[in-house]
Amino acid sequence: MDRYLAALLKPSGRLPRGVFLTLSVPLGLLITLVHMKLRGSAGGEVYGLGYGLLLALMWSQYCLMSRRLQDSDRPGLLIAPIYIVATAGSLISLDPLLVGQPNDAAKAL
């Protein structure tokens, strides 16, 4: 159990293929469900816990991918720019006001 928890929280180390598949598939589904739930209630201004949960899940996904890259003798930081862009895109798609002024959104309507 500690091996699974460490794989989700620490980006360094190696990860066997079976553990990777056991963790990455359910984690990907959970990220999708949380994103859909936040997207569905975006008009209700869901902040805080939902976004925190999404960021924590995305961090866990990054840790898994980083560990798997290290198994192929590549640095885990190789995938960091991709995850930064993906996380920013995900948050912007949930709340476009993160990058624009509130007046910009009102003018678009």
Side-chain angles (χ1 to χ4, degrees):
M1 187 63 159
D2 290 336
R3 181 168 84 178
Y4 291 106
L5 188 59
L8 292 171
L9 298 177
K10 296 178 190 172
S12 61
R14 297 189 174 263
L15 189 65
R17 187 177 304 150
V19 175
F20 174 73
L21 290 174
T22 302
L23 292 174
S24 65
V25 172
L27 184 61
L29 292 173
L30 188 58
I31 288 173
T32 302
L33 289 174
V34 169
H35 193 277
M36 287 173 43
K37 181 68 174 171
L38 286 173
R39 185 77 171 157
S41 57
E45 298 199 15
V46 177
Y47 293 104
L49 185 62
Y51 287 116
L53 178 62
L54 185 64
L55 288 173
L57 291 172
M58 291 183 95
W59 170 254
S60 294
Q61 189 178 38
Y62 169 74
C63 290
L64 288 176
M65 294 301 295
S66 174
R67 284 173 167 253
R68 197 64 195 142
L69 275 174
Q70 291 174 19
D71 283 342
S72 62
D73 294 327
R74 293 185 180 104
L77 288 175
L78 187 66
I79 201 163
I82 296 168
Y83 268 89
I84 291 171
V85 170
T87 302
S90 178
L91 293 177
I92 290 169
S93 74
L94 288 174
D95 188 6
L97 296 178
L98 290 173
V99 293
Q101 299 295 327
N103 294 337
D104 293 342
K107 289 177 187 175
L109 297 175

